[in-house]
Amino acid sequence: MSDYCYCDYDPPSVCNDEMRKARKEHRCCACGRTIRAGEAYEHVWGIWDGEPSTYKTCSHCLALREYTKAHVPCFCWCYGSEGREEAMEYLREYAHHAPGLWFAGARLYVQARQLRAAERRH
């Protein structure tokens, strides 16, 4: 593993992130699940390439991101649906360093997907 870290995107020129408790329903930018009133979520506002954007991430996708960041030397989260897919790619790439690394990440990934599927059924 290398000490060198390079993210393949331009970081925001301005960024503010904070944890919030939802007062109304929101949509998770990563998995598409509804963040219900009362649930904790991450609210990120920033300016990327001169354009302001807001991202809301549910606690399940945050758990996958934090797990990946804790176990992969260089992981750059990309807001939106790509972040979850990239997390799984990184975990797959580094799985040979720690038995169970990919499997534990896959459990977090599937939990969010199952909640989204249950939401669609109702």
Side-chain angles (χ1 to χ4, degrees):
M1 292 193 263
S2 170
D3 291 335
Y4 178 73
C5 184
Y6 171 76
C7 295
D8 194 21
Y9 65 88
D10 291 329
S13 56
V14 175
C15 187
N16 180 54
D17 63 278
E18 61 186 359
M19 290 301 296
R20 293 185 176 179
K21 187 173 184 176
R23 289 182 278 171
K24 63 178 188 171
E25 290 186 347
H26 299 283
R27 181 82 43 205
C28 176
C29 69
C31 70
R33 185 179 74 79
T34 300
I35 300 168
R36 305 250 183 248
E39 283 186 60
Y41 71 98
E42 179 189 52
H43 178 272
V44 175
W45 178 88
I47 299 177
W48 285 265
D49 296 324
E51 294 292 322
S53 295
T54 301
Y55 298 97
K56 297 166 185 163
T57 308
C58 74
S59 59
H60 299 283
C61 292
L62 283 174
L64 175 61
R65 179 178 76 196
E66 295 306 311
Y67 175 80
T68 306
K69 285 172 63 176
H71 294 88
V72 174
C74 179
F75 173 65
C76 304
W77 178 261
C78 181
Y79 289 99
S81 61
E82 303 89 23
R84 290 168 32 91
E85 302 306 323
E86 286 185 0
M88 293 310 299
E89 286 179 31
Y90 273 86
L91 291 172
R92 189 173 9 268
E93 183 179 326
Y94 284 89
H96 65 281
H97 291 285
L101 180 67
W102 180 87
F103 183 75
R107 287 181 53 207
L108 295 168
Y109 182 93
V110 169
Q111 283 176 347
R113 190 172 68 194
Q114 287 174 336
L115 288 170
R116 174 75 171 138
E119 181 178 277
R120 288 181 178 168
R121 285 193 297 270
H122 290 81

